[in-house]
Amino acid sequence: MKEPVRAKKFGREFKEFMVRGNAIMLAVGVVIGGAFQGIVNSLVNDILMPLIGLFTAGADFSELSFRLGAFRAGEDAYVTVTYGTLITAIINFLIIGFVIFLLVKFINSADCAVKKACRRGKTEAAPAPPTTKKCPFCISEIPITATRCAHCTSQLPQEEVE
């Protein structure tokens, strides 16, 4: 009897999750991330890696590998470990991370500049005049127009009434 109740509760929770927008926001993030990946990959592969190739004399790390002994006796077959692809992947990761850092830094600074410009355009309202004052005898908050303190019943000096 408990299983149908759990299934209904699970279904209700899933529906709330989908309606709240979490799944939709995640899907949008994945789609935008995929599109952004194309831009970053193009930047890395078409612009940055050729520039790095200038400094490394055109070395292609993906070609680096070493062979281990034959895996079958009597055959000329070797196991090849291509560690160069790992080096290339690490370099790509560092470059992509740096590029994303620069883009986020640029977007944040542009957002900050826009917010500052918006704040400069706003006129700040004058502060509201005070509506209370302190009684000089008992230091209680009283209305600014009071002539007698409601707490200690002292007669307030006339010069304070405005």
Side-chain angles (χ1 to χ4, degrees):
M1 185 75 183
K2 286 209 174 218
E3 285 304 316
V5 173
R6 282 186 181 169
K8 285 181 182 179
K9 183 179 176 187
F10 182 78
R12 192 173 342 111
E13 287 175 354
F14 179 70
K15 181 182 173 188
E16 287 174 12
F17 171 79
M18 294 300 285
V19 172
R20 237 184 299 151
N22 294 344
I24 294 169
M25 294 304 291
L26 182 63
V28 168
V30 168
V31 170
I32 289 176
F36 188 69
Q37 179 185 6
I39 294 170
V40 173
N41 282 341
S42 175
L43 177 67
V44 168
N45 294 332
D46 301 333
I47 295 173
L48 296 178
M49 286 308 275
L51 292 174
I52 290 173
L54 287 173
F55 298 112
T56 61
D60 185 8
F61 295 115
S62 62
E63 303 288 327
L64 298 176
S65 63
F66 63 88
R67 284 203 246 174
L68 297 175
F71 60 89
R72 290 189 194 158
E75 291 187 21
D76 199 20
Y78 294 93
V79 174
T80 305
V81 176
T82 54
Y83 64 93
T85 54
L86 176 64
I87 293 173
T88 302
I90 291 171
I91 291 172
N92 282 344
F93 174 76
L94 292 174
I95 291 171
I96 289 171
F98 184 68
V99 167
I100 290 173
F101 168 75
L102 291 177
L103 285 173
V104 169
K105 190 170 176 70
F106 172 74
I107 289 169
N108 286 344
S109 66
D111 186 44
C112 183
V114 167
K115 285 180 182 176
K116 283 182 183 175
C118 289
R119 271 185 263 154
R120 268 188 257 125
K122 289 182 181 176
T123 57
E124 295 195 19
T131 59
T132 61
K133 63 181 177 181
K134 296 221 182 246
C135 171
F137 303 104
C138 68
I139 316 298
S140 299
E141 284 285 319
I142 55 174
I144 202 158
T145 57
T147 57
R148 187 177 289 271
C149 178
H151 302 281
C152 69
T153 67
S154 297
Q155 183 75 31
L156 299 175
Q158 288 295 82
E159 64 266 6
E160 287 191 33
V161 177
E162 291 182 19

